[in-house]
Each structure stands twice: as C-alpha cells, then as structure tokens.
Amino acid sequence: MFSYKLLFFLPLISTIFTYPFGVLLGDKTAQYFSSTLISIAAILSWFLFISFSMSPSPEIIIPVLEWFLVSGQFFNWGISVNSLTLLMLTLVLTVSALVHIYSIEYMAHDNSKVRFMTYLSLFTFCMVALVVSDNLIQLFFGWEGVGLASYLLIGFWHHKKSANLAAMKAFLVNRVADFGFLIGIATLYIFLDTLSINEIIEGKEELLNYDINFLGFNINALVFSCFFLFIGAMGKSAQFGFHTWLPDAMEGPTPVSALIHAATMVTAGVFLTVRFSELMVMSDFIMTFVLIIGLLTAFFAASVGFFQKDIKKVIAYSTCSQLGFMFVACGLGAFNIAIFHLITHGYFKALLFLSSGSVIHGVHDEQDMDKMGNLFPKMKITAVMMWIGTLAIIGFPYSSGYFSKDLILSSSFNLNSFGPLVYLILAIVSAMTAFYSFRLIFKVFHGKYNGSYDYEKIHESGPFMLAPLLLLSIGAIFAGYFLNDLLAGYNSKNFWNGMIFLYQDKNYYSSFFPILSKSLVATGVAFAVYYYGFNLNKLADLKKRFYSIYNFILNKWYFDELYNKIFVLPLYNLGKFLWTRIDQGIIDKYLPNGSASIVSTISKAFKRIQTGYIFDYTFIIISGFTLFISIIFYISVT
Amino acid sequence: MSFPILSLLILTPIIGALTLSLSSSSQLKNKTIFLSGLWITTGEFLLSLLLPIFYDKTKNGYQFTEYHTWFDKFDINYYVGVDGVSIPLILLTTFLVPICLLCSLNSIQNRAKEFVTYFLLLESFIIGVFVSIDLVIFYVFFEAVLIPMFLIIGIWGGENRLYATFKFFLYTLAGSVLMLLAIIYIISKVKSGNIELISDFTFDQQIELILFLCFFASFAVKVPMFPFHTWLPDAHVQAPTSGSVILAGVLLKLGAYGFIRLSLPFFEYASIYFQPMIFALSCVAIVYTSIVALRQLDMKKMIAYSSVAHMGFVTIGIFTLTQDGINGAYFQMISHGIVSAALFLIVGVVYERHHTRMISDYSGVTNVMPKYSFFFMIFMLSSVGLPGTSGFVGEFLVIMSTISVSVYLTFFTAIGVILGASYMLLLYKNVNFGDLKTDIKQLADLTNIEIFYFSCLAFLTMLLGVYPKLLFEMINKSISMSIL
C-alpha cells in the first residue's frame, strides 16, 4: 500500500519542493533533487509492475483523501491499482525520470531551469493522478492538469511570441475537446448516478435503456456518452480535426516534446478509450467512428510529415500518425494491442525526440533540416540512437515497433468485410512513415552539410543527455519482445484480469498480407534513400511537376487557415458587435440612459413646484402625509 | 447560545466607524486610521471564525438566534440567526474587508478617515444582510449596503465616476422599489416578517408570479443577470481597487443569496414557472458576456464581464432546483468571491505602479515581476476553472446538474468553459508574456504586504479546490432544507 502511495506522492513532493530548494540551495541541487525523486518512483514502479505481472491480482483501490460531493456521495482522491495503471505508470515514470535527467544538461544554459524542473514534476504528478484515478473527477483533474503543464511548458520561453501563441492554442483546442469530455461525464452521471469508473462499467447494460433527444434525433445514452468521451480523447491525442495544436506545441523545449507530446500526455486519449473499452465496444457506431478517425489521422499526419522542414515537426506528425494507429487498434477492438503500441511507441518516440534534441543542442539551436546534413561524423552516438529509433518506428524485425505495429495490422482482420481494405491503408501509411523517417535520417546525418553554423564547432552531447538515450534505446529495441507475450500473447487474459475488453476469436489470414506490408515499407525506405541519399536534384523536378499537391501537403491541408476563418475571426468580430451594438447601443441606451432622461424630464417639472413660498411647500407636505396615512390604513384594513 | 455573537458582529464595525468619525481628523495620520481600521476588521474576522467552530452541522435550522420585538403589530422583529448558507458568506466578507483596507494603504491618500468609516459601515451592513431572518431587517440592510458603496465609488473613483455611480444607482433603485412593494404586500398578507413563517405560507399562484418578479428585479440587478449587467463594467472600471474587490467579492453575492434564501422558499411555484426564463437569461449571460470580454481593452472591464459570465453559472445552478446544482452554485459564489476579488487586486497592483489599465500598455511583465505573474497565474487558472482550484468545483457541479434539465442547457453552460479559458489566457498572455516594454522596466515586484494577502487568497483557492469537503459539509444540510 505504502509503496503505491509513494508513486503518487513522490512527484507531488518534487513539484512542491523543487522551486524552494532552487531558491535556497542553488539550481544544481534542485535539479538533482527532482531527478532523484522521479527516478526513485520510476524504479519503484518497475518493481511493483514486475511483482504484479508475476501474480496478477484483482483491482485494489487505495483512498487518499475525500474530495468531491456529488449526489450525496463523496468521491476520493485515490489510487486504483490494476494491470493497466501499473503498465502505464512504468512508461510515464521511466520516460519522465529520463527526461528529468536529460534536462539537467539540456537546460544548463537556461536561466530558469528550476522553474522548468518544477513544471516537469507537476506534469508527472498530474499524469500519475490521471492514470491511477478510479473516478472520473480525478481523471478530469489529471486530464486538465497535464494540459496545464503542457501549456506552461510550450510557452516556457515566454519571450517568444510564437511560443506563447502555440501554448494558448494547445490549451484552447484541448478545452474545446474537454467540453465534449464534460458532456460525456455529465451524461454518464445523470443516468448512472455515479462517477466511479468501475460502477460505470458495471452499469453499462443499464445505459442501453435510455435515449437522449438531441437536435431531433433519439440517441442512445451509451452512444451519446461514449461519443463525447471520445471527443475528449481526440483533443488530447491530437486526432484529425483537433490535431492542429500538436505541431505548434514543438515550440517548447525538446525534452518537453519527448515527455509530453510524444510518450505520455498525448496517449492519454488512447488510455481513456481503453479504460472505457467495455463501454465503447457495445456500440458499433462508436467503434466504426474510432476506426475511421484513427485511419484518417494516420494517413493525414503521415502525408503532412513528408515535406516538413523542421526536424521536430516531422517527429510531431509521426507521433500524430502513430496515435492514429493506436486508435485504429481501439476501433478494431484490439484494445490490448493499442496499449501495447502505446508503450513501445512511448519508448521509441521519446528516443527519437531526445536524439533530435541532442542534434539541436549540437548545432546550436538550429531546427531546420535544410541547414543540417552530414552530422554523422560529429555525433555518432546520437546518430546511432536515431537510427535505432527509426528502425523501431518502421517496424524493423524484432525491434519493439515490429511487434506492436504488426499486431495492429493483423487485427484489421477482426473486421469481416473491410478487413483487407483497412490492412491496405495501414500498410500504405507504414510505407509513408518509413519514407519520411528515412528522409529525416538522410537529411540530418548524411549527405552534405548546408548549415550556417561553424561545422567544426558541432559537438556530441554530454553524458547526462546520452545516458537517457542509451536507456531508452534498450526500451526501443526490447520492449516489444518482452511485453509481447504478457500483453498480447496467450497468457494475456490472466494479466489483464478483466480490466479491459479482450477480443475473443482470432482471425487467420493469408501470408500474402505480411509480405505485402513489408515490401511496401521497404519501398518507402528505398524511395527515401534514392531521393534524399543520392538524387536530390530529381526531387526538385518532382516537386515542380506536382506543385499543387506539394503545396497542399506543405500547408498541412490548410487546416489552420480554415479554423481561423470559421471560428476565430467570426468570434472576434462578434465580440466587438455585441459590445458596441448591443451592450452600449441598445441596453445602455434604453435602460439606464433612457430612464435617466425620463427622470430629468420629471425633475424639470418638479422644479416648477419649487416656488420658494412656504405655503406651497406646506401644501405638498400635508398632501403627501395624507396619502401616506391612507395607504397605511388601506393596508391594515385589507 | 446566550452570547449575542451576531449582534456583536454587526455592531463592532459600526462602533468602530463611529469612534473613528468622531475623533478629530487633523490629529490622526492616514496610517493610524488605516491601522485602527485593520485592527477592528481583523478582530471582526477572528470573531466571525467562532461561527464555523461552534456551529452544529448536524442540526437543521438557524443557530445563534437572537430575538427582540420591534413592531408588535406586524410581527416585525429584530430576529437574526445563521445557518450553513450564511456562515461561509459572512466569513468571506470579514476576510475580504481587511484585505480591502490593506490594498488601499498607499492608494487612498485623501479623506482616509471617511474611507475607512465607509468600509466599516459596509461590512456591518453586509453581515446584517446575511444574518437577518426577518424580511424587513433584511431589506433595510440590503438597501443600506448601497449607500457606502455609492460613496466609495463616487468619492474615490476614476474620472468618470459620476456616470458610473449614477448608472449603478438607477439600476438598483428600480429593483429595490419593486422589492419593497412586494415586501409590503407579503407582510400585510402573512402578518409577519419572519422568513420561516413566510416560507410556509402559500400565495395565490398569479400573485406569486408577480411577487417573484418583483424580488427577481432586485436580485437580478445585483447578480447581475443579462440584460441588467451594464452597470457592472462601468462601476468596476471607475471604482477604486478596494471598491471593486468588495463589489465583486461580496456585493454580487447578495443577489444570489437572495435567490437561495428568499425566492426559492417563498415562491416554489413561481421558481419552477420561471425556470426557463432564468436559464435563457443565464445562458445568454454566459455566452454573450464571455464573447464581449474577449474584445475588451481594459483589464478591469474584462474581469467585470467575466464576473457576469461566472455569476451566470450561479443562477443556472440555483434554478436547476437540485441539491447538486445549488451546492455547485453556492460553491461558485464563494470561489468567485475569492478569485474575482484577487483578480481585481492583481489589476490594482499594476495600476498603482503604472497608472493605466489598458492591456496594450503592458507586455512581458513577468520579466520584472515574477512573483506577480505567479499569483496572477494561480488566480487566472482558478477563474478558468482548472481542477484543483476552487473555480472548478462549482462549475463542474453546475454542469453536472444542468443535464437533468436539458442537454442543450449543458451545451451552453459548457461553452462558457471554453470561452472563459479564451479570454483569461489572452489577458494573461498579453500582460505577462512577450517582449518587455521599455516603460515598464522599472516596475517593482510585489511588496511584502501584497505577497501576504495574495498568499492568503491563493491558499484559499487551492484549499477549496483540493479539499472542498470543508465547504460541502457546511452547506449541504442547509441547502437541502431550502429546496422544496
């Protein structure tokens, strides 16, 4: 019990005390202090996870503090211990600990590094609170809390205008999605009269009995609530339509991108969907919707990733695309595989981001890939790490991506009729992923150096940054191999222990499909090598020939422009209209100012009564008094 | 309890005000006046802390009651007492008044004696509203509150203060006249001013509707509800910081308190009958004022408009007529009392240093005032309704309760959550982030006094956000009594 509470409280202690320590004992102490606390929590989480997976037990809920009173029932701050939460905790705490350590060196030249560590710890605490919650209120707390940490960290360099705007955008887009989430919570609450996640899942049958009339449609309560919960998940996980904030979020320091915008926070949406998997599978509509959104996102983000110039944005779009893969797995009913991919992706994507951070650090804060090239001789370890991460993401055999991604592809045959189609789309997206991942490798590490920064001064990063990379690379290589059996193998039923929905029968399909997908991926790699490794000039011709498509992709399908036109500008103009026309034009004109003019007319009339003669005044006083007395009599008589 | 604690609470500030105003002003320095005011109000705060300590949460009905006959014929008496609904508001008042005096230490130079006197009177009248169980006493205090408030805005306000006071006066006057008529009618009918007796009385349905509207006119102006809200931005902009703090912190709550204490128990039929109207007005208030707030150039105006939106949550919550809804509305009242007061103080801090409230005159303040930005952040987040701060609890409960009425209502209420985040983040970003403007480079960071009261306020918002049980325990029983 105590050790579980420790997992919850260590990040909190780090959040609260890092800043005072920094002020009192100096920056270095504070950095070591928070890194140590989170590392202890990370190691502890592995012990707890391993001992749990040896002998899975039913869910335990450890209350911490009474919190919320809803319909006469208090909901707690609490820790729910089960297979899903422990698995997530290992990922969250491990990546967080490594990012803490990495930041000691990465932020060494920054003036406010203690503030940075505090935010990182705050994020870790909120993420832990989100993962371990047993009720929707705490879940929402963590949900908004990680959003806050993300807002603070994206806008960390607050003198940069773009960073501030990106931070606001992230918070507001997430708010729009949270609006959906809140409605989902409210619907569940009104029909089931509870906010405890377990009780909601137990009451799922009951939900089917109710309908909600919305805009003239009778929608089943289950579908309605799941739909809006999923809207929340879409926002946090940057799915199609809500994705616009994620690439902009790359304005934050790179360790942040690794921790928040790759490994942990953005996967919260997948986590939520899986946590409510028992509810989601009950509606075909929801499952199809999740599947389609996942497919769309995977394809869209991969296409935009093609021609991005910023090294971090390429990885950001690939994150977006991989999140799409996870939702595809959810939509196919393979929730355990979604979580599996979530975990492996967490490791290799954090590796990719931190490696790119190492590159950016080495070339003196340059992020444009056009100004890089041939960095391999200068930073060999980083380059090898980047290669490992890239091989993992394209699913090179026996790397971690190979296991989880292939399982997603093969589970498309859970669908009877459209299975092959889904498989084909996923295979194409995988090939696209391979293309832009290798494009990145070749543009950055090989070829010719094009930058303006002095090539001789480019340097490899120090031990604090390389050690986390090495540890993550272990995860990127082996996580798939070790977790495969536990999460997706024959014994997985024991491990999950009823926590999530598990698909029962396995469909078999011809061996033609794996060969197809593998060869597509190989083609993608080959194209990247051909164009970016050897024939850059041919590429320019291609770009000219397909200029309109190229432009469309380069401008991210014009989503930002569209949103500005249909949401932001009209709202802004409406504000002006309501303020000047309605508030000042109508209400003020008729209510107070109008009545004021009446008053002044009356007072002019009264001026005439003020004659200055005692007689007139006495008359008015007496008549007024008579009136008053008669009113009192009237009232007391009736 | 025989100890007349409530009368003492009402009388202490009045006695203090009398002594102050009778002493000859030429001999007293401003600082002495403020210090004596602070001593009195702090004593008052400590005294009011006895209420939650000795209040028995398990019992129904009013406690610490005192009864003195006044007009025998109409059964109008000096009858005071408190329950779970009034105690937190009394505490909020006694907590905010010392802060108001603290923040005016430097900014109020002329007529300090009158200033402190009016604040003491104001405090006593507000407490009077919250403790009275007799309708006439309630009305007397309810109206008396306005006098010191007018004077505070009218004497120590900005350039355009006369227009603002005048607008404020017109709106409230119209409401009060109607309420007075309704009160006269009720007392002549029931033959008693006792609130509990009136609650048991059933009016003729048509008459009840009219009476409800009369009360509504007065309370809606105070809350303020759309479209009676336009006095608020002007009053806030013109008022001195301390005036805005008490106005947003406590005075706006008088209307909502009136709804819970009087309208709901008196007019059960009418409360249900007028539900749609109030929901419509509140939804408009939330969406409309939030959008208007987006375009404000003046910090105080923006926060004033946000107050209207936040109070929209309160009226929606109250008129869902459910336990959760009223709990949430009440929580939102207390939270808004703390947070909006804090936000006005935040504006006051930079106004005192830089003498402008225009958002565009500030940029990159965090570079020179990091502590200030820190506190600003906490209150901004609480205003946005981030979980873990007090702002979240009320909003969340209100949104939960609306769905039992209609999904559409939930939609409109929840849209307020998005819009609220938009304008507050915009405000925060424009003031604190970006390049440091040259003319604000010399701004000094918070003084110790400012840190002291901001810490108190921040602590309260966090405490109520993390452990709202404190407040829930206090109000739950009393609120369950007030709904049908």
Side-chain angles (χ1 to χ4, degrees):
Chain A
M1 290 296 140
F2 178 70
S3 44
Y4 291 116
K5 280 191 181 171
L6 218 51
L7 287 188
F8 187 75
F9 281 113
L10 278 175
L12 181 62
I13 293 169
S14 172
T15 313
I16 296 172
F17 290 106
T18 301
Y19 202 82
F21 275 26
V23 175
L24 296 176
L25 305 171
D27 293 357
K28 272 266 179 281
T29 327
Q31 284 183 315
Y32 289 129
F33 170 74
S34 62
S35 308
T36 317
L37 285 188
I38 306 290
S39 305
I40 293 172
I43 294 167
L44 190 63
S45 75
W46 276 103
F47 274 113
L48 292 174
F49 172 68
I50 290 171
S51 66
F52 184 90
S53 57
M54 298 280 184
S55 55
S57 61
E59 186 179 25
I60 320 165
I61 291 169
I62 307 167
V64 177
L65 184 71
E66 279 189 326
W67 187 22
F68 233 95
L69 179 75
V70 183
S71 53
Q73 185 189 357
F74 270 104
F75 287 95
N76 295 328
W77 291 94
I79 305 169
S80 146
V81 179
N82 59 52
S83 43
L84 184 61
T85 58
L86 278 175
L87 186 63
M88 285 293 287
L89 278 182
T90 56
L91 174 76
V92 170
L93 289 168
T94 310
V95 177
S96 173
L98 294 177
V99 166
H100 269 80
I101 295 168
Y102 182 92
S103 308
I104 294 179
E105 190 181 323
Y106 191 86
M107 302 299 283
H109 304 297
D110 201 285
N111 286 328
S112 32
K113 36 186 171 281
V114 184
R115 186 163 61 97
F116 186 74
M117 295 312 252
T118 310
Y119 289 169
L120 282 185
S121 296
L122 170 71
F123 169 78
T124 314
F125 169 67
C126 292
M127 192 71 203
V128 170
L130 188 164
V131 168
V132 300
S133 58
D134 71 311
N135 60 60
L136 277 168
I137 308 183
Q138 191 185 333
L139 186 76
F140 194 70
F141 163 80
W143 192 264
E144 292 275 282
V146 291
L148 165 71
S150 154
Y151 164 77
L152 291 171
L153 284 163
I154 296 170
F156 182 74
W157 285 315
H158 47 69
H159 50 86
K160 271 166 73 183
K161 197 174 174 224
S162 54
N164 292 328
L165 289 177
M168 260 186 70
K169 189 172 176 184
F171 198 91
L172 292 181
V173 173
N174 271 300
R175 266 273 151 147
V176 175
D178 292 346
F179 157 80
F181 193 11
L182 269 178
I183 289 175
I185 295 177
T187 332
L188 288 173
Y189 162 70
I190 195 67
F191 290 116
L192 298 177
D193 225 14
T194 176
L195 288 170
S196 148
I197 296 176
N198 288 339
E199 286 173 24
I200 287 172
I201 289 174
E202 278 162 25
K204 58 185 176 177
E205 303 287 342
E206 206 181 316
L207 271 180
L208 287 174
N209 304 332
Y210 302 105
D211 276 340
I212 293 176
N213 191 308
F214 186 66
L215 298 174
F217 296 101
N218 266 331
I219 304 169
N220 186 268
L222 180 101
V223 178
F224 191 84
S225 51
C226 281
F227 178 79
F228 280 104
L229 284 184
F230 183 66
I231 294 284
M234 280 172 73
K236 200 103 285 178
S237 293
Q239 291 301 289
F240 193 76
F242 288 101
H243 65 275
T244 52
W245 67 271
L246 184 59
D248 288 20
M250 296 301 126
E251 289 288 343
T254 311
V256 174
S257 316
L259 175 62
I260 300 185
H261 307 120
T264 54
M265 183 187 87
V266 287
T267 59
V270 183
F271 173 77
L272 180 76
T273 315
V274 175
R275 195 85 168 84
F276 284 92
S277 50
E278 297 276 4
L279 253 66
M280 300 271 177
V281 287
M282 292 175 72
S283 152
D284 284 340
F285 168 75
I286 292 293
M287 292 301 272
T288 319
F289 185 70
V290 174
L291 177 67
I292 290 173
I293 289 291
L295 281 175
L296 257 176
T297 314
F299 177 76
F300 158 79
S303 78
V304 178
F306 263 32
F307 299 117
Q308 290 298 309
K309 291 195 170 70
D310 188 318
I311 179 169
K312 283 175 76 182
K313 287 210 168 154
V314 177
I315 311 182
Y317 277 109
S318 101
T319 305
C320 200
S321 170
Q322 295 301 312
L323 288 168
F325 269 86
M326 294 173 211
F327 278 113
V328 169
C330 290
L332 294 168
F335 293 99
N336 55 336
I337 290 162
I339 285 291
F340 186 22
H341 194 56
L342 190 161
I343 300 288
T344 57
H345 169 260
Y347 289 118
F348 64 69
K349 193 48 68 66
L351 176 65
L352 281 173
F353 260 120
L354 290 184
S355 308
S356 78
S358 176
V359 171
I360 294 167
H361 201 62
V363 294
H364 209 80
D365 296 334
E366 182 59 70
Q367 294 186 203
D368 190 342
M369 291 197 295
D370 286 343
K371 294 183 180 157
M372 296 178 188
N374 199 24
L375 297 182
F376 184 75
K378 286 286 173 189
M379 32 178 74
K380 290 198 173 103
I381 303 181
T382 306
V384 171
M385 292 299 133
M386 195 72 123
W387 267 92
I388 292 176
T390 306
L391 289 177
I393 198 177
I394 68 166
F396 191 77
Y398 300 100
S399 68
S400 61
Y402 169 76
F403 290 97
S404 52
K405 215 170 176 178
D406 264 22
L407 281 170
I408 294 179
L409 264 76
S410 63
S411 50
S412 51
F413 291 93
N414 286 353
L415 290 182
N416 290 326
S417 43
F418 287 102
L421 180 68
V422 172
Y423 189 95
L424 194 66
I425 297 174
L426 289 179
I428 290 172
V429 174
S430 303
M432 289 158 79
T433 312
F435 175 78
Y436 65 70
S437 302
F438 269 88
R439 167 179 175 264
L440 185 148
I441 291 267
F442 277 91
K443 277 189 96 119
V444 173
F445 291 109
H446 306 285
K448 205 169 78 218
Y449 181 66
N450 302 316
S452 48
Y453 186 66
D454 188 359
Y455 186 69
E456 293 309 314
K457 279 193 193 155
I458 295 173
H459 60 88
E460 179 63 288
S461 307
F464 276 105
M465 282 169 69
L466 292 180
L469 290 185
L470 290 172
L471 286 171
L472 280 173
S473 73
I474 297 174
I477 301 171
F478 297 111
Y481 182 77
F482 284 115
L483 292 176
N484 189 19
D485 196 45
L486 190 64
L487 303 186
Y490 290 110
N491 297 325
S492 56
K493 210 169 275 175
N494 286 335
F495 175 72
W496 290 114
N497 214 337
M499 269 313 294
I500 64 172
F501 176 85
L502 284 179
Y503 208 79
Q504 291 302 325
D505 47 350
K506 192 112 180 122
N507 287 295
Y508 291 94
Y509 54 97
S510 77
S511 58
F512 162 74
F513 285 103
I515 295 170
L516 174 75
S517 71
K518 283 287 165 293
S519 46
L520 275 174
V521 169
T523 324
V525 175
F527 266 108
V529 174
Y530 178 74
Y531 281 116
Y532 287 95
F534 301 102
N535 297 301
L536 272 172
N537 46 344
K538 284 191 183 166
L539 195 70
D541 292 345
L542 272 184
K543 275 182 193 169
K544 257 180 216 149
R545 193 176 299 166
F546 298 103
Y547 185 73
S548 55
I549 298 176
Y550 170 70
N551 218 16
F552 181 67
I553 290 175
L554 193 67
N555 283 299
K556 304 164 273 183
W557 297 25
Y558 294 105
F559 259 98
D560 285 325
E561 288 77 4
L562 190 72
Y563 282 177
N564 261 338
K565 274 237 171 70
I566 56 176
F567 294 124
V568 181
L569 279 180
L571 195 68
Y572 206 59
N573 294 333
L574 186 65
K576 176 108 182 172
F577 172 78
L578 292 179
W579 179 31
T580 53
R581 291 295 148 87
I582 310 268
D583 246 34
Q584 296 178 343
I586 297 181
I587 298 177
D588 271 2
K589 192 170 171 195
Y590 293 105
L591 277 173
N593 298 0
S595 49
S597 63
I598 296 172
V599 169
S600 73
T601 334
I602 294 173
S603 73
K604 264 180 207 149
F606 270 99
K607 230 188 234 164
R608 262 176 245 149
I609 306 175
Q610 291 181 351
T611 50
Y613 295 110
I614 295 269
F615 173 76
D616 289 348
Y617 289 140
T618 341
F619 173 74
I620 292 166
I621 289 170
I622 287 174
S623 51
F625 193 67
T626 325
L627 190 70
F628 183 68
I629 297 280
S630 41
I631 288 176
I632 290 206
F633 270 108
Y634 175 75
I635 287 171
S636 53
V637 165
T638 53
Chain B
M1 208 165 131
S2 53
F3 181 63
I5 182 168
L6 297 180
S7 301
L8 208 59
L9 275 174
I10 299 178
L11 282 178
T12 314
I14 292 191
I15 293 170
L18 280 179
T19 353
L20 254 184
S21 57
L22 289 180
S23 60
S24 64
S25 62
S26 52
Q27 289 158 5
L28 289 175
K29 278 189 202 149
N30 278 356
K31 205 173 171 193
T32 340
I33 296 169
F34 271 105
L35 270 182
S36 49
L38 273 174
W39 277 111
I40 297 167
T41 48
T42 318
E44 174 91 352
F45 174 61
L46 294 176
L47 190 64
S48 67
L49 280 181
L50 294 177
L51 292 178
I53 295 173
F54 289 106
Y55 179 75
D56 188 349
K57 287 166 204 152
T58 52
K59 276 191 196 151
N60 287 330
Y62 296 95
Q63 297 178 25
F64 308 105
T65 50
E66 291 166 43
Y67 186 93
H68 301 285
T69 32
W70 191 18
F71 288 121
D72 235 354
K73 185 163 185 293
F74 293 108
D75 193 25
I76 295 171
N77 307 297
Y78 175 79
Y79 184 28
V80 292
V82 287
D83 66 355
V85 178
S86 34
I87 289 179
L89 283 166
I90 294 174
L91 284 178
L92 182 69
T93 315
T94 55
F95 172 71
L96 284 179
V97 172
I99 292 181
C100 287
L101 293 181
L102 265 181
C103 78
S104 325
L105 267 179
N106 296 321
S107 54
I108 304 294
Q109 296 294 348
N110 63 328
R111 303 193 196 203
K113 196 176 81 177
E114 284 84 352
F115 182 82
V116 176
T117 312
Y118 293 153
F119 256 99
L120 289 173
L121 287 178
L122 186 61
E123 178 171 24
S124 132
F125 295 156
I126 295 172
I127 292 174
V129 175
F130 293 138
V131 298
S132 42
I133 323 178
D134 189 280
L135 199 53
V136 175
I137 305 273
F138 175 89
Y139 180 77
V140 169
F141 281 122
F142 193 79
E143 295 305 320
V145 164
L146 298 175
I147 302 165
M149 199 63 230
F150 288 139
L151 293 171
I152 288 169
I153 301 177
I155 298 178
W156 292 275
E159 310 86 54
N160 210 359
R161 55 181 183 262
L162 284 182
Y163 173 69
T165 358
F166 163 75
K167 209 166 168 183
F168 180 28
F169 179 78
L170 265 184
Y171 266 116
T172 40
L173 181 77
S176 334
V177 169
L178 290 175
M179 186 161 89
L180 180 62
L181 289 177
I183 287 177
I184 293 174
Y185 179 84
I186 288 174
I187 288 177
S188 68
K189 259 286 190 277
V190 188
K191 299 271 186 285
S192 169
N194 187 332
I195 288 179
E196 287 163 308
L197 288 181
I198 301 173
S199 308
D200 296 336
F201 190 87
T202 330
F203 295 96
D204 185 39
Q205 285 190 345
Q206 292 306 315
I207 303 247
E208 189 176 323
L209 295 184
I210 296 168
L211 290 177
F212 178 90
L213 283 180
C214 291
F215 275 77
F216 174 80
S218 180
F219 297 150
V221 168
K222 280 274 173 29
V223 167
M225 290 175 74
F226 179 88
F228 312 112
H229 66 279
T230 58
W231 63 270
L232 186 75
D234 284 309
H236 271 307
V237 167
Q238 298 306 328
T241 306
S242 47
S244 294
V245 169
I246 204 76
L247 183 59
V250 186
L251 254 65
L252 299 192
K253 312 300 171 298
L254 293 182
Y257 177 79
F259 279 133
I260 298 180
R261 175 64 88 223
L262 305 181
S263 296
L264 294 195
F266 287 5
F267 316 119
E268 292 162 17
Y269 166 75
S271 299
I272 298 170
Y273 184 87
F274 283 115
Q275 242 183 344
M277 176 187 80
I278 287 174
F279 288 147
L281 289 181
S282 309
C283 283
V284 173
I286 290 177
V287 178
Y288 172 99
T289 50
S290 300
I291 295 175
V292 173
L294 262 178
R295 278 306 289 263
Q296 295 305 311
L297 311 169
D298 184 312
M299 289 197 228
K300 261 191 162 177
K301 261 200 174 158
M302 187 184 254
I303 298 169
Y305 273 110
S306 86
S307 287
V308 182
H310 281 136
M311 292 307 284
F313 278 94
V314 174
T315 41
I316 286 185
I318 291 174
F319 281 89
T320 55
L321 306 176
T322 58
Q323 177 85 35
D324 282 342
I326 303 181
N327 273 357
Y330 195 84
F331 213 102
Q332 175 82 345
M333 276 160 70
I334 297 291
S335 158
H336 179 260
I338 300 168
V339 174
S340 68
L343 284 170
F344 279 116
L345 285 169
I346 286 278
V347 178
V349 165
V350 282
Y351 182 68
E352 201 178 288
R353 287 164 171 71
H354 198 42
H355 305 291
T356 168
R357 281 183 312 258
M358 289 297 134
I359 297 170
S360 52
D361 289 338
Y362 295 93
S363 174
V365 169
T366 182
N367 293 306
V368 282
M369 304 173 75
K371 290 172 196 159
Y372 171 77
S373 310
F374 170 74
F375 284 113
F376 197 163
M377 173 69 82
I378 292 183
F379 300 126
M380 181 272 279
L381 292 173
S382 188
S383 168
V384 163
L386 199 86
T389 61
S390 58
F392 168 68
V393 184
E395 270 184 17
F396 184 79
L397 280 177
V398 170
I399 291 174
M400 291 296 111
S401 63
T402 51
I403 199 158
S404 63
V405 179
S406 148
V407 191
Y408 301 107
L409 186 62
T410 316
F411 262 75
F412 281 112
T413 326
I415 282 176
V417 174
I418 304 175
L419 292 172
S422 320
Y423 59 75
M424 283 315 286
L425 287 184
L426 201 65
L427 172 70
Y428 189 80
K429 188 206 80 167
N430 287 341
V431 171
N432 288 286
F433 296 151
D435 295 324
L436 181 63
K437 282 206 167 174
T438 43
D439 55 340
I440 56 173
K441 259 186 190 144
Q442 78 296 347
L443 292 192
D445 208 346
L446 299 183
T447 62
N448 286 337
I449 293 179
E450 285 161 348
I451 291 180
F452 169 71
Y453 59 69
F454 280 131
S455 315
C456 292
L457 289 161
F459 174 74
L460 262 184
T461 40
M462 307 279 259
L463 180 71
L464 288 180
V466 176
Y467 196 64
K469 198 183 165 194
L470 279 178
L471 192 52
F472 280 139
E473 273 183 345
M474 182 65 85
I475 60 177
N476 200 31
K477 191 139 198 150
S478 303
I479 282 179
S480 68
M481 296 302 295
S482 75
I483 43 173
L484 318 183

